Amino acid sequence: MNILLIGNSSASRRIQEEGERLGDLVDIVSSASLNVYVSNRGLKFKIVGKQLLLRDYDLVFFYTINSKRKLDWILFAQYISKKYGTKVVYQKYASTKYKAMFTSLYDYVKQYKHGIPFPKTVVFYSKRGLRKALEHVGMPAILKIKAPGFGRQGRGVFKIESFDYLVELVLKYSSVASRFVLREFIPNEGDIRFFVVGNKVVAAMQRIPKKGEYRSNVARGAKPVPFDFNKHPELTELAIKSANLIGNDIAGVDIMLHRETKKPYVLEINSGPQFKALERVTKVNVARKIVEYFHSLES
């Protein structure tokens, strides 16, 4: 099987390693490797630095895509799916309806419409209406800043315990942030990462933050421990439903339980989840599970 994997990371290389053990060819390319040729005859696409022709790839996996190039890659996915019948993961990228889904609010809208529990949230783009936003979610709150260099390992995530601190952060990062997300703070004992492949959870771990830390990232000192998802079918079903709702064949779904009520909240549905710590903690070969899922799409 010839696989084209978009997004160069340690997780990508693990998938390549497992694919090659099964006799597959796995080419890894970065978001910047796509050239688009436009003329009156239409569009043509070329992957820079690769010898295989586009028609020679059996499957393309969009693992991580730079947001600036995302629409170009979506056009690419639609092109190869229609012209060559190439399997596309995530399949939603090959849909001509995907543009309607290409919004920062898409996940929240789908979760709301289908009864997925998540913390109260405000998405905003400037300092206007900050006080009303904070009143909506309550205090303390969590602020996520969507900007270059933020978004992984807890970077760009702040606990808000005063209105003045919220204003200070928004003014500081408004010139580089694409948007701000203010969320209700859920008292917790950490979160649970469910790794969904296809239509099932293949591994899960709980991340217990260190004392005094509000972020559950392993990079921030959180302790990862195995989580037996088979003993929690309701949470497992919630993770699978959440991933399926937004069309993510492969996803890391983060769920947090309220410390007192034990009510679950879906915090995030990651479309390019890393799994190094997950493999180490659970002893599950996640990369192999992903490649085996690719093979199941051939039938």
Side-chain angles (χ1 to χ4, degrees):
M1 188 177 192
N2 295 334
I3 301 169
L4 180 65
L5 199 159
I6 317 302
N8 192 355
S9 68
S10 59
S12 304
R13 292 187 286 277
R14 276 287 296 120
I15 294 171
Q16 182 183 52
E17 178 182 299
E18 292 301 326
E20 290 176 348
R21 284 177 178 168
L22 291 176
D24 299 325
L25 181 148
V26 182
D27 278 339
I28 299 175
V29 298
S30 71
S31 291
S33 62
L34 179 67
N35 279 2
V36 185
Y37 300 86
V38 186
S39 70
N40 289 334
R41 295 183 177 181
L43 294 175
K44 286 187 177 182
F45 299 88
K46 181 175 176 58
I47 305 297
V48 178
K50 294 300 174 184
Q51 298 301 314
L52 283 186
L53 300 175
L54 293 185
R55 63 173 177 264
D56 294 327
Y57 289 106
D58 304 297
L59 181 143
V60 176
F61 178 31
F62 292 88
Y63 198 41
T64 55
I65 310 175
N66 185 296
S67 58
K68 293 180 180 179
R69 297 298 310 275
K70 198 162 191 176
L71 285 176
D72 293 346
W73 281 107
I74 290 169
L75 287 173
F76 170 80
Q78 294 170 1
Y79 173 84
I80 60 171
S81 176
K82 183 177 180 180
K83 188 173 179 65
Y84 303 118
T86 307
K87 297 290 184 182
V88 174
V89 179
Y90 305 105
Q91 180 58 35
K92 63 183 181 182
Y93 290 160
S95 170
T96 55
K97 297 180 180 179
Y98 182 71
K99 287 184 180 179
M101 300 157 60
F102 190 62
T103 166
S104 60
L105 294 174
Y106 175 74
D107 290 4
Y108 302 132
V109 171
K110 294 289 284 187
Q111 290 177 60
Y112 160 71
K113 287 185 175 180
H114 291 83
I116 299 294
F118 61 93
K120 287 185 287 187
T121 302
V122 178
V123 179
F124 62 99
Y125 302 88
S126 71
K127 65 179 182 180
R128 292 183 179 181
L130 282 186
R131 194 173 294 278
K132 286 289 186 183
L134 193 55
E135 288 175 0
H136 175 73
V137 303
M139 198 156 55
I142 295 294
L143 179 69
K144 291 187 175 184
I145 300 173
K146 304 296 183 178
F150 289 170
R152 290 188 182 277
Q153 300 181 336
R155 292 189 292 268
V157 178
F158 302 89
K159 190 175 183 180
I160 304 300
E161 297 185 283
S162 75
F163 176 71
D164 289 342
Y165 185 46
L166 174 62
V167 172
E168 176 188 332
L169 288 171
V170 172
L171 291 177
K172 179 177 180 179
Y173 293 105
S174 59
S175 62
V176 295
S178 60
R179 66 186 182 277
F180 299 90
V181 179
L182 190 67
R183 309 202 80 178
E184 172 188 11
F185 175 77
I186 306 298
N188 66 89
E189 302 294 346
D191 65 9
I192 306 162
R193 161 63 61 88
F194 292 83
F195 205 98
V196 179
V197 178
N199 200 38
K200 63 181 180 179
V201 171
V202 299
M205 68 177 179
Q206 185 171 5
R207 298 176 293 194
I208 304 171
K210 66 179 182 181
K211 188 175 181 179
E213 177 60 69
Y214 56 90
R215 291 164 291 193
S216 299
N217 305 85
V218 174
R220 298 286 173 180
K223 180 182 178 181
V225 296
F227 183 83
D228 190 350
F229 58 89
N230 291 309
K231 293 182 178 179
H232 300 272
E234 70 290 348
L235 296 180
T236 300
E237 290 172 11
L238 177 60
I240 294 169
K241 181 179 178 181
S242 300
N244 288 346
L245 272 180
I246 65 168
N248 282 8
D249 311 51
I250 297 163
V253 181
D254 297 336
I255 297 177
M256 180 174 283
L257 301 180
H258 192 287
R259 182 182 293 136
E260 282 78 40
T261 68
K262 305 305 177 184
K263 177 182 176 179
Y265 293 85
V266 174
L267 300 183
E268 197 164 0
I269 306 168
N270 299 276
S271 58
Q274 301 298 302
F275 49 81
K276 182 178 180 180
L278 186 67
E279 286 193 322
R280 184 180 71 250
V281 169
T282 65
K283 310 304 180 186
V284 175
N285 190 331
V286 176
R288 175 64 67 95
K289 297 289 186 183
I290 292 173
V291 177
E292 288 174 348
Y293 173 66
F294 293 162
H295 282 260
S296 75
L297 298 176
E298 288 186 299
S299 57

